[in-house]
Amino acid sequence: MSTTLAAGSGFDFTLAQQLTVIALCALTAFIAHMALAVFNDGVRPFLLDFIQGRTTRSATTAVSFGLSAGFIFGLGAPMALSTGVLNPWLLFLPTDILGMLAPRKWLAPLLGGAWGAVVVFGLNGANNVAHDLPVDFLTAMQQMSTPILFLFTLFPVLAITKQFGRAWGAAAGVIELALVVLTMKLWPNMFAGALAMAVGVLMLIGLAVAKDLRRRREDRARGMVEEVAADDPMASLFSASAARLRRHLPLFMVLGAGVCVLAQMHVFGGGEATSFLIAKGQYAEAAQVDFYRVFGFVPLIATTALASGAYGIAGFTLVYPIGYLLPNPFLAAVVGALVFAVEVLALSWIGKVLGKLPSVRDSSEHLRSAITDTLQLAILFGSLMAANAMGGGLGILVVGGLYLFNEAMGRPVVRMAAAPAAVIVGGILLNLLHWLDLFTPVQG
């Protein structure tokens, strides 16, 4: 499989793409201002206190900024610059902050739209300047694509091992390895991890469902009956939150349409691995990768939405893979709106189903943890490869040193974002050393 990025890491947006990004950023900031949805899963639980008036807008904005800044500057911006593809950390985390920051409802979409304009008009200039430097750290960052794509393939194996033990994990690992080798041999133009990930995720879901069914059969055999208290305060909260979201269904349908259209334009990737696949023009493989991620996030998004009364900006993220595959933006708008409508209307039902499938809920947590573990290693390894490409041993010393310094300081920059941020800082430092005639850029 080629590791060359088809997109060339450029940002030549059409007028339609520019307007879509600006309009979507304005909309997401407006929705965040109303505390109806945010992208950051960590911020969503804090919104209940804001919705119920127990905390202030400024305090909630501070929480949002604290939980999002590292991902924006350490992951969102470097990923966009290295792939030439936009991502949700760069677009939606800032609009979370700007929307919550805005003291007036009319100001939120203006701030969000302004951020969208900064992205679509500013990234190309930053990209051109960086590529003209003696040490081209953006081209070097494309080295991250191979470890991210291939190590990401292993996340179902890690999840199976954590939930069902070493024997099942080893079996899944052997099966995935065999499928990767088989895919590379028989279908060289296909993303090598696609079939392996499909089988791994299906194994995990199958094991979890089988465990839940066994448990329910055993409970019935013992005569155990599930009882739900009529005055359960959590059930009451969930019902009120679902009703709040349903009241704003038309707005959510517009949001779903916008996100799906952006994905259909192929200038946006929903994840780290997906961004590189979109840049290579492998849209079917990108859809497959983001579809598997859905299984890890549906329970989290559904439960936090029902508990807080605030949904996710991308919903269950199903609109990402659907958008990649649709033939035109008009169809994407219709389908995206319908998908969000179904998601919002089904929230209460999904919450009840998840309550009866504890092993499936556990699987989603293990999937998210495994995705984080694989990507942290892949991004760190890829960042060191980028450091070597732009500066050899000195590059590795600088980038690795910055990463370790961040660890020693207690991770002021979140671990996943620390390594790409270190590549950019290291690249700037190597350029300064070159201008001082203290460093000669690596050729190649």
Side-chain angles (χ1 to χ4, degrees), residues 354-411:
L354 291 173
K356 298 176 182 178
L357 299 172
S359 295
V360 173
R361 287 201 314 273
D362 291 345
S363 292
S364 76
E365 294 185 14
H366 288 300
L367 273 176
R368 290 198 310 276
S369 174
I371 287 171
T372 299
D373 290 345
T374 53
L375 286 175
Q376 281 179 348
L377 176 61
I379 290 172
L380 174 59
F381 187 66
S383 296
L384 291 175
M385 290 173 63
N388 182 64
M390 69 184 184
L394 180 60
I396 292 174
L397 172 66
V398 171
V399 172
L402 288 170
Y403 179 86
L404 292 173
F405 186 58
N406 183 69
E407 290 284 308
M409 291 192 302
R411 298 191 200 114

Side-chain angles (χ1 to χ4, degrees), residues 1 5 20 77 87 153 226 312 330 397:
M1 185 184 68
L5 300 190
T20 299
N87 59 67
T153 302
E226 295 179 4
F330 303 104
L397 172 66

